[in-house]
């Protein structure tokens, strides 16, 4: 297991600048880089791998600067978005490739390849060629190929984005299981917030070449520091209010805050509880599997509330025109 750190890393091109003051993947941690297309996720991963050199700054593995080490001496395993399997080689040969390059004895290669294929659930497919495999199976081969060299650090760049939703969900669970089993420090890139929440110990949300916030999934989800993080991770309510005497109110709904003046109050739709009353107008609603999403007007503002149907204090058929609103968890955006 290895701790990976980036310190004051800058990589700039004409129209893009990646700046990472500090980023750390702890020993055995599953860290995800999450952000929109073009924010610098792949560049960050390539810098960690050694395929890209930073203009300035340091990359450290267990406290040692690795800037001058080529990728193959960094002890990494890497999986790219497009699998990059060798089409003319069987599954076995694809997975064995890195070991053969290291000139390991044949019996050892055989044993390690079988171990890796079993780990990713591909036993029995050793002799197939990539074109004879489904997308999900090809991605498992790519994963086995990255794991077979027993790397200290596993780097995955949107490994599931070419797969359909069901397989994506299954495979992400398996990646997580394997990562836990091996305790391998993993840095995973995705632009899918649900995937990031499901799979990560911690998430680094990136935007325009910068890390906006790093934290545990629920910390980021319920306590985002910026509007970007709030909106990127899911549906948000953000109210711009004036606080006085420690209270910021709108239409009878009050938030107790620690400062006076302008505040931006943030809360998730599922933190909004409703019951019959007069506070807010029910503007419209949407049914989701097992849930209802209500659009409510309170003061001059619209907010979203989301509740499970079986905890709604009235039936959908008899939805009242007005409700009382209780926000049970909120935070203040910086
Ligand atoms: N070799 C290069 N020369 C010039 N610009 C580059 C180079 N590599 C990357 N960039 C630019 O850096 C920015 C970040 O690219 P990067 O591939 O890291 O984004 P990303 O977050 O991985 O996006 P995506 O989700 O689309 O894969 C982009 O604007 C890209 O055009
Ligand atoms: Mg990318």
């Amino acid at each position: 297991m290895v701790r990976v750190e980036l310190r004051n890393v800058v990589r700039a091109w004409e129209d893009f600048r990646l700046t990472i003051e500090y980023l750390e993947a702890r020993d055995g941690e599953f860290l995800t880089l999450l952000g929109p297309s073009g924010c610098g996720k792949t560049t960050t991963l390539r810098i960690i791998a050694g395929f890209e050199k930073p203009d300035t700054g340091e990359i450290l593995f267990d406290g040692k600067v690795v800037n001058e080490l080529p990728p193959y001496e960094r002890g990494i395993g890497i999986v790219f978005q497009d699998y990059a399997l060798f089409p003319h080689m069987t599954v076995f040969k694809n997975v064995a490739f890195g070991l053969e390059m290291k000139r390991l004895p044949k019996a050892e290669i055989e044993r390690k390849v079988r171990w890796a294929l079993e780990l990713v659930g591909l036993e029995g497919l050793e002799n197939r060629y990539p074109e004879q495999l489904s997308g999900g199976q090809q991605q498992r081969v790519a994963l086995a190929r990255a794991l077979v060299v027993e790397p200290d650090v596993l780097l995955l760049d949107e490994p599931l984005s070419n797969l359909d939703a069901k397989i994506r969900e299954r495979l992400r669970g398996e990646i997580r299981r394997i990562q836990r089993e091996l305790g391998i420090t993993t840095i995973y890139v995705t632009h899918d917030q649900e995937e990031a929440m499901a799979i990560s110990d911690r998430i680094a949300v990136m935007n325009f070449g910068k890390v906006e916030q790093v934290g545990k999934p629920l910390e980021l989800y319920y306590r985002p520091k910026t509007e970007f993080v709030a909106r990127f991770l899911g549906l948000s309510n953000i109210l711009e209010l004036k606080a006085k005497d420690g209270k910021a109110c709108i239409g009878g709904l009050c938030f107790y805050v620690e400062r006076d003046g302008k505040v931006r109050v943030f809360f998730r739709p599922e933190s909004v509880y409703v019951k019959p009353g007069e506070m807010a107008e029910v503007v419209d609603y949407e049914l989701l599997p097992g849930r209802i999403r209500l659009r409510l007007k309170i003061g001059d503002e619209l907010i979203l509330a989301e509740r499970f149907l079986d905890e709604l204090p009235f039936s959908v058929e008899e939805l009242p025109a007005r409700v009382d609103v209780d926000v049970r968890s909120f935070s203040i955006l910086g």
Side-chain angles (χ1 to χ4, degrees):
M1 283 197 277
V2 158
R3 175 167 52 113
V4 177
E5 292 167 283
L6 299 184
R7 282 193 197 150
N8 298 315
V9 164
V10 175
R11 180 74 177 102
W13 290 287
E14 235 163 56
D15 49 3
F16 180 79
R17 187 182 177 85
L18 178 78
T19 319
I20 297 180
E21 273 170 39
Y22 186 74
L23 183 67
E24 174 196 37
R26 299 172 184 152
D27 265 359
E29 180 175 55
F30 198 116
L31 176 77
T32 294
L33 309 180
L34 172 70
S37 185
C39 70
K41 305 181 296 295
T42 296
T43 304
T44 306
L45 208 67
R46 286 171 54 81
I47 287 174
I48 295 167
F51 295 124
E52 187 79 59
K53 270 203 186 303
D55 303 332
T56 57
E58 291 177 330
I59 305 106
L60 300 99
F61 282 23
D62 268 349
K64 280 197 216 82
V65 177
V66 297
N67 285 45
E68 297 309 320
L69 284 188
Y72 59 87
E73 283 180 18
R74 291 193 186 189
I76 54 162
I78 188 158
V79 177
F80 300 99
Q81 175 174 352
D82 56 4
Y83 324 139
L85 299 180
F86 306 115
H88 58 285
M89 287 186 194
T90 61
V91 167
F92 186 94
K93 282 283 178 190
N94 261 284
V95 177
F97 186 77
L99 302 175
E100 280 171 356
M101 296 298 282
K102 285 192 183 170
R103 300 186 187 284
L104 293 189
K106 213 172 159 216
E108 197 178 337
I109 293 181
E110 179 101 18
R111 185 175 56 74
K112 288 193 174 194
V113 171
R114 302 227 175 277
W115 167 79
L117 287 175
E118 194 176 321
L119 201 59
V120 302
L122 280 183
E123 327 74 316
L125 299 184
E126 291 82 354
N127 297 322
R128 296 256 190 108
Y129 286 88
E131 61 174 19
Q132 299 171 314
L133 300 174
S134 70
Q137 288 168 331
Q138 288 184 44
Q139 200 53 307
R140 283 168 203 263
V141 178
L143 188 60
R145 193 174 57 179
L147 291 168
V148 79
V149 295
E150 296 171 67
D152 294 323
V153 179
L154 182 62
L155 304 173
L156 303 149
D157 193 355
E158 310 229 16
L160 307 180
S161 60
N162 287 337
L163 306 172
D164 69 48
K166 257 207 181 119
I167 306 218
R168 223 161 50 213
E169 259 181 50
R170 199 165 83 208
L171 216 48
R172 83 180 181 211
E174 282 185 40
I175 290 176
R176 183 60 173 145
R177 173 186 59 77
I178 292 168
Q179 187 269 342
R180 283 222 176 102
E181 207 173 299
L182 303 179
I184 187 170
T185 308
T186 298
I187 303 173
Y188 186 96
V189 164
T190 183
H191 59 261
D192 180 333
Q193 61 277 30
E194 191 188 302
E195 195 170 289
M197 297 266 294
I199 207 170
S200 316
D201 291 319
R202 290 191 308 149
I203 300 172
V205 178
M206 296 182 65
N207 185 24
F208 283 131
K210 289 222 164 74
V211 175
E212 289 243 345
Q213 193 175 349
V214 186
K216 292 182 183 168
L218 292 183
E219 204 173 296
L220 293 189
Y221 186 76
Y222 286 114
R223 299 260 175 272
K225 290 211 174 96
T226 65
E227 181 167 345
F228 178 83
V229 174
R231 293 199 189 282
F232 200 75
L233 287 181
L235 290 175
S236 303
N237 293 302
I238 298 174
L239 299 175
E240 307 231 357
L241 302 176
K242 270 225 173 80
K244 205 170 163 261
D245 303 326
K247 238 163 72 166
C249 299
I250 180 166
L253 173 66
C254 288
F255 300 90
Y256 294 88
V257 298
E258 276 165 11
R259 62 177 120 130
D260 281 359
K262 266 194 183 169
V263 288
R264 283 192 303 161
V265 179
F266 156 85
F267 49 96
R268 296 286 176 200
E270 64 271 25
S271 300
V272 183
Y273 288 71
V274 293
K275 61 177 193 229
E278 290 303 315
M279 240 154 104
E281 177 193 343
V282 179
V283 179
D284 59 25
Y285 69 92
E286 210 172 68
L287 284 178
L288 304 164
R291 287 169 295 146
I292 184 167
R293 187 176 294 155
L294 300 150
R295 193 184 302 276
L296 307 172
K297 188 165 183 207
I298 184 157
D300 302 327
E301 299 273 359
L302 285 174
I303 62 169
L304 292 174
E306 204 169 298
R307 304 265 35 102
F308 285 112
L309 288 173
D310 60 7
E311 48 155 23
L312 206 60
F314 28 72
S315 74
V316 175
E317 290 74 30
E318 290 160 17
L319 221 51
R322 297 189 72 85
V323 290
D324 270 356
V325 172
D326 178 19
V327 176
R328 301 222 181 136
S329 162
F330 69 93
S331 66
I332 303 298
L333 294 181

